[in-house]
Amino acid sequence: QVQLVESGGGLVQPGGSLRLSCAASGFTFSNYDMSWYRQAPGKERELVASITNFGIITEYATSVKGRFTMSRDNAKNTVYLQMTSLKPEDTAVYYCNADHSYSLPGRNAYWGQGTQVTVSS
């Protein structure tokens, strides 16, 4: 069965760093574009970063550009989000998303369960 399992979340102080991982299984990983989304209390879920199926193109939300780096390792069926210079505004549940590269967006997509990131002093 399809699984996306996030890890690496936790409590970190402002200015600190954290690396999130998302391990995928049950589907052909290299056929899927991957994204990180986040949702803070009272706010809509927002796209943080995305990467195409072979890692050729990455895109970032303006709010995280220059601070976060998304990458993927297709040999390990894993995507990462390296977060640096963390701010309290980054506090949210972070979700891993897989969307089939050769289907219409959202038609063949999977979601992880989410991992909590809390940035607080």
Side-chain angles (χ1 to χ4, degrees):
Q1 61 183 23
V2 170
Q3 283 193 296
L4 295 173
V5 181
E6 300 99 332
S7 62
L11 175 64
V12 65
Q13 293 186 349
S17 299
L18 213 57
R19 189 176 81 153
L20 305 183
S21 298
C22 173
S25 60
F27 61 97
T28 303
F29 187 67
S30 61
N31 284 345
Y32 284 75
D33 301 330
M34 302 295 296
S35 297
W36 288 98
Y37 287 77
R38 68 185 182 189
Q39 188 165 29
K43 300 188 68 176
E44 293 186 348
R45 185 173 296 189
E46 65 171 334
L47 177 62
V48 176
S50 60
I51 189 166
T52 52
N53 58 331
F54 290 102
I56 296 172
I57 303 171
T58 54
E59 301 279 354
Y60 299 93
T62 300
S63 59
V64 308
K65 202 168 297 180
R67 300 188 297 119
F68 291 10
T69 301
M70 187 175 183
S71 60
R72 68 189 295 158
D73 186 340
N74 284 2
K76 295 182 178 180
N77 286 1
T78 303
V79 295
Y80 306 94
L81 186 66
Q82 179 67 53
M83 305 183 293
T84 62
S85 301
L86 283 161
K87 305 174 180 180
E89 308 92 88
D90 296 318
T91 296
V93 178
Y94 284 71
Y95 297 91
C96 181
N97 168 268
D99 192 69
H100 197 275
S101 301
Y102 311 114
S103 299
L104 292 173
R107 297 293 296 273
N108 285 289
Y110 307 107
W111 291 89
Q113 82 291 343
T115 186
Q116 177 71 49
V117 172
T118 302
V119 185
S120 177
S121 59

